[in-house]
Amino acid sequence: MKVKVDWDLCEANAVCMDVAPALYTVDDEDNFHHLVQGEQDDISGDVPGDQVDRAKEAVRLCPRQALAIIE
Amino acid sequence: MVDVDIAYLDSRNWEEEAMLERMRWLRQHDPVRWSEKDGLWIISHFADVVTASKDQATFTSGLGVRPGNDVKIGLIDEEEPRHGQLRGMINKGFSPRMVKILEETFRKITDEAIDAVATKGECEFVTDIAVPLPLRLIAAMIGIREGDYDKFHHWSDTMIAADGNMDDPETMARAGQSYLEYATYVTPIIEDRRKNPKDDLVSILARAKDSGLLKEYDEAGPAGDAVGNSDLQNDELIKLMVILMIAGNETTRNGISGGMQLLIENPEARQRLIDDASLIPNAVEEMVRIVTPVRSFGRTATCDAELGGQKIKAGQKILLLYTSANRDERQFDEPDRFDIDRDPHHLGFGIGNHFCLGANLARMEMRVAFQEILRRLPDMEYAKEGPVLKPSALVRTCAEMKLLFTPEA
């Protein structure tokens, strides 16, 4: 499972970072980053099995619905 | 059994224990209930509050979020896509980056407030701690000069008093007067930031206005008659600065008061936080869940819809009870228990497009406040009786809480 961020929607509420600190971070300039990196900046690498529930929870809770599960 | 056939919009009915019992009954027997006295649906399950909050297309905020009060507030009752555009810009003033900058200021404010009472061995927690902390930070963010904080406090209180008192001409006149004074005060600050932008909230708002995103309303505002100054009245930037002032005050103030109450009533949890301050952020989430400073907001159905098995008709309003959702047995084990180890996902800041803009700021404020309180005055206890609560359908309000503690040497 991979997660894609829509940069146009993300406004750095940082809810994802609270829910899944191992997967997402919002840096000092308010930019979102996947911590499990994939080949493209906006799409994560494969989410580790023990983090799948948290990844889904972050997608569900994002206030702007800027995260989406792909594959 | 407690009477569930009451007006949920009437603040007088929000005596806390009775309301919590009523919500337990609603969740078990009638989670999407038509309230005859309010003329709207009462939503009490966590899952249904989430569903409605995330579906703005069906359950819009754009037709008001305080049923019974049709005055446009701004932002919070704005429709998409404009809400998203406004928010995308204003949010920059409350982002993790900005909150980090504000933390140092807030810690200083907290320490000064504690300094003022620390050697006395007693305080009235609401007036001495819970009120000045968020108030001074939002004042600093708006650019209020330190000598004018009392004035700012007065403006804030008199404007807040207007909520739910639209039929009282004296209260409304005072609110109108305060609006005018506040608007007059902040106008040169806005002009200054327009010419000399800084890295702050007012500069962000000034930029939003110059870009044409903020508008002049063409209708008369709530206090139009009392003020008679439609230029200021209809300036969306100034209206936003009023909302930010009020939202930045009442909510965090009562989060801090309610949190303090939970610490006093749960001494084991408090001791763990004193011993290990790294547990405080999670404890703050649990405080926000149990206290739920913002108790309810409304939505309006834009089409015929279904929610929790009930048919909602187009045009009907629903009232989302965050207080109930946050104590829903389907979501939380032993929901009335203050458990600082709990997985803390609650609806204290709402969810979806209108998720609390100030959540990052509020979390930082509560974390720093309790870090300092627990470090410096770890043994606060009720002086005599517990807190004095003021019933409100909107904000869980602690009016007074007298405390005793070992004075600082």
Side-chain angles (χ1 to χ4, degrees):
Chain A
M1 189 183 91
K2 293 178 177 160
V3 174
K4 184 178 193 298
V5 61
D6 183 333
W7 302 112
D8 291 335
L9 289 175
C10 176
E11 57 178 33
N13 286 291
V15 174
C16 56
M17 193 167 90
D18 274 353
V19 178
L23 298 178
Y24 314 111
T25 190
V26 174
D27 69 19
D28 287 350
E29 296 299 318
D30 292 336
N31 297 312
F32 169 94
H33 301 281
H34 290 291
L35 292 175
V36 177
Q37 287 166 351
E39 286 173 22
Q40 290 160 263
D41 282 350
D42 59 338
I43 299 175
S44 73
D46 276 316
V47 175
D50 62 344
Q51 290 290 326
V52 166
D53 285 351
R54 296 216 162 250
K56 286 181 182 166
E57 186 75 351
V59 170
R60 194 173 72 77
L61 289 173
C62 173
R64 298 304 301 173
Q65 298 172 27
L67 296 176
I69 295 168
I70 53 169
E71 301 176 28
Chain B
M1 200 203 80
V2 64
D3 181 15
V4 293
D5 184 24
I6 56 144
Y8 289 82
L9 294 172
D10 187 337
S11 283
R12 286 167 299 189
N13 288 327
W14 280 75
E15 195 277 310
E16 189 166 53
E17 283 310 313
M19 193 51 101
L20 290 176
E21 193 185 332
R22 204 170 272 134
M23 288 171 181
R24 268 192 288 276
W25 189 92
L26 288 175
R27 287 194 300 273
Q28 193 176 346
H29 300 285
D30 205 358
V32 178
R33 178 186 175 86
W34 178 254
S35 168
E36 202 61 52
K37 291 191 171 143
D38 297 298
L40 49 66
W41 297 92
I42 303 293
I43 315 300
S44 54
H45 274 179
F46 188 97
D48 294 335
V49 172
V50 170
T51 301
S53 299
K54 291 185 77 165
D55 188 358
Q56 275 285 306
T58 307
F59 297 105
T60 184
S61 297
L63 295 166
V65 293
R66 299 305 305 158
N69 177 354
D70 290 333
V71 176
K72 187 87 177 169
I73 303 171
L75 196 61
I76 195 171
D77 51 7
E78 203 70 58
E79 263 181 352
E80 303 301 343
R82 187 161 191 270
H83 166 260
Q85 293 163 358
L86 278 174
R87 192 185 154 106
M89 191 162 284
I90 298 166
N91 190 66
K92 298 276 183 288
F94 297 89
S95 67
R97 184 187 71 85
M98 191 65 89
V99 168
K100 207 168 274 180
I101 295 172
L102 293 169
E103 180 168 338
E104 195 185 333
T105 307
F106 187 74
R107 198 175 294 277
K108 187 165 155 273
I109 289 168
T110 304
D111 273 322
E112 283 168 0
I114 296 177
D115 286 343
V117 298
T119 57
K120 293 184 187 165
E122 61 178 359
C123 72
E124 199 286 279
F125 188 81
V126 177
T127 309
D128 293 332
I129 308 285
V131 168
L133 266 47
L135 185 113
R136 285 180 193 167
L137 186 65
I138 200 86
M141 289 171 75
I142 291 172
I144 308 288
R145 290 173 290 278
E146 264 190 69
D148 296 327
Y149 283 178
D150 285 347
K151 236 188 278 184
F152 182 67
H153 188 183
H154 171 77
W155 294 331
S156 176
D157 279 2
T158 45
M159 281 192 260
I160 288 163
D163 186 85
N165 286 301
M166 306 268 302
D167 52 354
D168 176 8
E170 261 183 55
T171 305
M172 292 311 289
R174 268 198 298 274
Q177 180 64 29
S178 287
Y179 183 93
L180 181 61
E181 288 177 17
Y182 177 65
T184 307
Y185 188 98
V186 296
T187 298
I189 299 174
I190 295 165
E191 276 313 307
D192 174 69
R193 297 300 192 280
R194 182 171 279 142
K195 290 189 196 111
N196 312 298
K198 289 189 190 176
D199 191 10
D200 71 359
L201 178 65
V202 179
S203 302
I204 289 165
L205 293 173
R207 212 159 42 235
K209 173 132 190 182
D210 286 346
S211 75
L213 191 55
L214 299 181
K215 60 184 180 186
E216 304 282 331
Y217 287 102
D218 49 9
E219 74 268 32
D225 294 339
V227 177
N229 186 329
S230 61
D231 280 355
L232 293 176
Q233 192 68 43
N234 290 331
D235 185 324
E236 189 177 25
L237 197 168
I238 294 191
K239 280 195 148 198
L240 277 172
M241 286 181 66
V242 172
I243 302 160
L244 296 173
M245 170 180 74
I246 291 175
N249 267 317
E250 282 279 284
T251 50
T252 313
R253 172 192 307 174
N254 285 292
I256 293 172
S257 299
M260 191 67 234
Q261 186 185 348
L262 286 167
L263 292 183
I264 292 173
E265 292 172 6
N266 294 275
E268 282 176 27
R270 171 158 62 171
Q271 190 56 50
R272 287 184 57 210
L273 299 177
I274 292 168
D275 295 340
D276 182 358
S278 75
L279 302 175
I280 291 178
N282 207 63
V284 163
E285 294 305 315
E286 179 68 345
M287 288 171 182
V288 176
R289 181 186 74 83
I290 293 209
V291 175
T292 312
V294 177
R295 286 171 155 171
S296 67
F297 275 132
R299 297 287 188 264
T300 309
T302 58
C303 54
D304 288 352
E306 201 188 293
L307 185 63
Q310 291 283 5
K311 299 251 185 285
I312 314 279
K313 290 204 184 79
Q316 285 183 334
K317 291 190 183 290
I318 62 175
L319 189 69
L320 308 174
L321 293 185
Y322 303 115
T323 307
S324 175
N326 275 341
R327 297 197 188 223
D328 188 346
E329 299 79 1
R330 288 144 206 84
Q331 187 71 20
F332 304 101
D333 291 332
E334 295 184 79
D336 295 326
R337 194 162 71 85
F338 179 61
D339 176 1
I340 61 174
D341 302 315
R342 197 188 287 278
D343 186 14
H345 299 130
H346 55 73
L347 296 176
F349 296 115
I351 192 171
N353 288 11
H354 286 266
F355 178 79
C356 176
L357 183 76
N360 286 314
L361 183 70
R363 285 178 165 131
M364 179 276 284
E365 291 181 298
M366 289 183 65
R367 169 174 56 78
V368 171
F370 287 109
Q371 281 170 347
E372 295 304 304
I373 289 168
L374 290 172
R375 183 173 69 80
R376 297 186 56 188
L377 308 173
D379 64 349
M380 284 187 162
E381 292 297 337
Y382 295 141
K384 219 162 142 199
E385 282 139 23
V388 179
L389 302 182
K390 180 173 163 247
S392 162
L394 177 57
V395 177
R396 200 262 187 192
T397 307
C398 179
E400 187 184 281
M401 186 157 65
K402 289 187 174 146
L403 302 182
L404 299 175
F405 49 87
T406 307
E408 249 181 16

